[in-house]
Amino acid sequence: MHPKSAPWIALLALASLGSAAQAKTIIHAGTLIDGVQDQPPKEASIVVDKGRIVEVAKGYLPAGEVDTVVDLKAQTLMPRPCASATRTAPT
């Protein structure tokens, strides 16, 4: 695992815990590699609610009173690859 990917994975795990006040976690990323755009956007916000990414926005979104902001403005973030198919051994 690349050392710079560790904060991203840790933040998603932290965001999945949730809280009683239904606070959202807003991650401020310096650069966001989304795999869609040719040039990764600078200054992006990722909003996580109840363990799910619900919004990705340009710029740094403000937080509500009960929200948590994770400052990764000096980091480059990218999603972790996930296996979407289950493979089984032939019998």
Side-chain angles (χ1 to χ4, degrees), residues 27-32 42-46 60 72-73 75 77:
I27 304 167
H28 290 164
T31 302
L32 178 63
K42 304 284 185 187
E43 298 185 1
S45 293
I46 303 154
Y60 299 131
L72 294 178
K73 293 176 184 172
Q75 301 292 323
L77 302 182

Side-chain angles (χ1 to χ4, degrees), residues 2 5 7 12 19-21 23-25 28 32 34-35 37 40 54-55 57 59 62 70 76 79 83 87:
H2 194 276
S5 66
L12 287 179
S19 74
K24 295 176 184 165
T25 299
H28 290 164
L32 178 63
D34 61 8
Q37 302 176 48
V54 295
E55 182 180 1
V70 180
T76 298
R87 300 176 191 215

Side-chain angles (χ1 to χ4, degrees), residues 56-82:
V56 177
K58 292 180 182 179
Y60 299 131
L61 296 176
E65 289 185 23
V66 296
D67 295 337
T68 300
V69 174
V70 180
D71 184 358
L72 294 178
K73 293 176 184 172
Q75 301 292 323
T76 298
L77 302 182
M78 63 182 281
R80 181 182 72 138
C82 296

